[in-house]
Amino acid sequence: MPSDNSRLRFAPSPTGALHIGGARTALYNWLAARHDGGELVLRIEDTDRERSTEENVAQILDAMRWLELDWDVGPVSQAERADRHAEALRRLLDSGHAYRDHATGKEVEAWKAEHGAGRGYRGTPTEDPTAAIRLRVPGEGETVVHDLIRGPVAFPNASYDDFVIARADGSVLYNFAVAVDDAEMGITEVVRGDDHLSNTPKQLLVLEALGQEPPRYAHLPLLHGPDGKKLSKRHGAASVQELRAAGYLPAAVRNYLALLGWGTDDDTTLMSTEELVRRFRVADVGKSAAIFDEKKLRWLNGRFMREMPLDEYTAAVARHLGREADERLRAACGIAQEKAQTLEEVWALIRFLFEPPVSDEKAWGKVMKEGTGPVLEAVAEALEPVEPFEPARIEAALAPLLDRFGLKPGKLYQPIRVAITGTSISPGIFESLAALGRERSLERIRAAAERLPPA
Ligand code: GLU
């Protein structure tokens, strides 16, 4: 049932760019918050001072904005909440839920070797302020994560050490900071990657010690590449910035990422963002790893591109190319819209309208045969009087040449295409000629004919 007080958070660590897995986590949190009429907190988990950089924070925010995922609170820096963490720590020391202990990691390992692995280490409290601070973990029972996706997952407490929650200098450790922040920020639902499931019992133990009600948890299955291996760079675009550079539309990326683990069985279903918001429920996310297949994203992106109103399409192409969305670009977009699957592909299709054609020698060699010269001359002659110079009339003017030279359509139109565009891929040939205009078309067709042997 929708509630108006749900609160989610997206909590990236700024140790690198936002990758596809992180983008999906951000999207799922955003969808859940928007579905519920709840709030989304953006929390930057920058407590690792060595690896967290300002550039990475900027990159993450830029990626969120490009994906059009807005947030209601933040960005909140976790590092800047150090006072709050110290205060929570003090409370646990005062209440006896935490204590200072001198044992180093090595000593704990030695203790376990002696007492048997799988038996949690329980330290010896000291008042000495140079000792690290551990949380007291009950020696028995279990901590159960009631995961919205996986169901209950039980972790026996006996296998946990009294784990360190703060260093001797008072700086707190990751699981402690996360638990304190989730509690103090009133987070009701934690949606994050599966790789954090093993952290959850520790966070639950901290919350329990603090006397806080835990949020609900949902751990998202990992993303794999089409080869079934964990998603990585070799599967194609890896970061959100790379997706943008490759010419994908934010709406298509949202659609595709939403379907990675959630929704229909068909991960190529076209859905508007409004529909995603209306239908999305974290509890409907599947348990098994989802496959990120860039080919499917391309296909889906192509569908979004074809369905865009021309003005919007032109604006997106202009932005991608860094050009002005003027009439000329709009006309070019009009004939390319059917053909391109990404914004990046558009330029190759329309370039001939803006620059003289640079002949692709391979394409040239393939279609410019002996006898093509006279055909192109006849094409120029047939086009000369066409008025107005528009696709249907151009087609009608060229059609008789098929019979006259005994050619199949491809054998007539491919040489024209190579002549006017330099390549063998372009929008429809009649549309391309019309968009280029009579004068430039004739010039290019005649120039190509001149390069070929005469009759
Ligand atoms: N900062 C963690 C990460 O980027 C996420 C922690 C969480 O969501 O609890 O992987």
Side-chain angles (χ1 to χ4, degrees), residues 9-13 43 45 174 178 182 190-193 195-196 203:
R9 88 298 196 274
F10 175 53
S13 303
R43 185 172 76 217
E45 303 209 315
Y174 174 73
V178 170
D182 285 343
V190 167
V191 179
R192 61 186 172 198
D195 46 333
H196 287 284
Q203 294 172 13

Side-chain angles (χ1 to χ4, degrees), residues 27-46:
L27 174 67
Y28 280 19
N29 277 288
W30 182 85
L31 288 172
R34 297 296 169 254
H35 174 91
D36 272 0
E39 279 188 319
L40 181 63
V41 177
L42 178 59
R43 185 172 76 217
I44 305 293
E45 303 209 315
D46 51 358

Side-chain angles (χ1 to χ4, degrees), residues 148-403:
L148 290 169
I149 297 169
R150 296 165 149 258
V153 187
F155 296 83
N157 291 332
S159 64
Y160 283 99
D161 297 337
D162 281 354
F163 55 91
V164 176
I165 53 177
R167 302 175 192 92
D169 66 5
S171 61
V172 302
L173 268 72
Y174 174 73
N175 281 314
F176 184 76
V178 170
V180 170
D181 288 351
D182 285 343
E184 293 192 359
M185 292 174 170
I187 301 301
T188 58
E189 236 163 90
V190 167
V191 179
R192 61 186 172 198
D194 231 353
D195 46 333
H196 287 284
L197 180 65
S198 61
N199 285 328
T200 310
K202 290 187 174 177
Q203 294 172 13
L204 282 170
L205 287 163
V206 171
L207 289 167
E208 198 179 320
L210 288 168
Q212 296 280 357
E213 193 64 34
R216 290 186 298 273
Y217 292 93
H219 289 92
L220 307 173
L222 287 181
L223 294 185
H224 286 173
D227 57 1
K229 304 229 168 76
K230 204 175 156 222
L231 193 62
S232 75
K233 187 104 193 139
R234 76 196 131 86
H235 296 112
S239 70
V240 172
Q241 272 79 11
E242 283 170 314
L243 291 176
R244 169 169 55 194
Y248 295 111
L249 300 168
V253 172
R254 287 194 297 272
N255 186 159
Y256 186 65
L257 291 183
L259 296 176
L260 290 183
W262 168 81
T264 59
D265 291 336
D266 178 6
D267 57 7
T268 56
T269 308
L270 205 70
M271 268 193 251
S272 70
T273 298
E274 293 72 45
E275 192 177 355
L276 293 174
V277 167
R278 196 171 59 244
R279 292 176 52 181
F280 184 83
R281 286 180 62 242
V282 172
D284 293 339
V285 174
K287 288 192 187 63
S288 44
I291 309 273
F292 174 82
D293 184 347
E294 199 172 338
K295 284 209 291 291
K296 291 186 175 177
L297 171 59
R298 279 184 89 79
W299 182 86
L300 204 59
N301 200 71
R303 294 214 26 203
F304 270 84
M305 298 229 331
R306 283 196 292 285
E307 291 188 10
M308 277 168 116
L310 185 56
D311 282 337
E312 211 180 290
Y313 187 92
T314 307
V317 170
R319 226 176 296 122
H320 189 76
L321 297 178
R323 298 186 78 102
E324 217 183 304
D326 53 15
E327 235 348 275
R328 200 166 158 215
L329 186 67
R330 189 174 191 276
C333 285
I335 65 168
Q337 190 164 4
E338 276 298 310
K339 289 249 172 171
Q341 285 193 317
T342 65
L343 295 172
E344 187 64 13
E345 282 174 5
V346 175
W347 181 241
L349 291 168
I350 63 174
R351 182 181 182 152
F352 76 100
L353 296 170
F354 298 85
E355 294 173 0
V358 183
S359 256
D360 165 351
E361 288 309 318
K362 219 168 114 199
W364 179 278
K366 216 160 153 193
V367 302
M368 300 303 199
K369 305 285 182 208
E370 240 189 275
T372 308
V375 173
L376 287 178
E377 270 162 27
V379 166
E381 217 167 284
L383 291 178
E384 185 115 48
V386 173
E387 187 60 44
F389 201 67
E390 57 174 42
R393 294 195 185 240
I394 292 171
E395 182 170 10
L398 294 179
L401 300 183
L402 293 170
D403 273 352

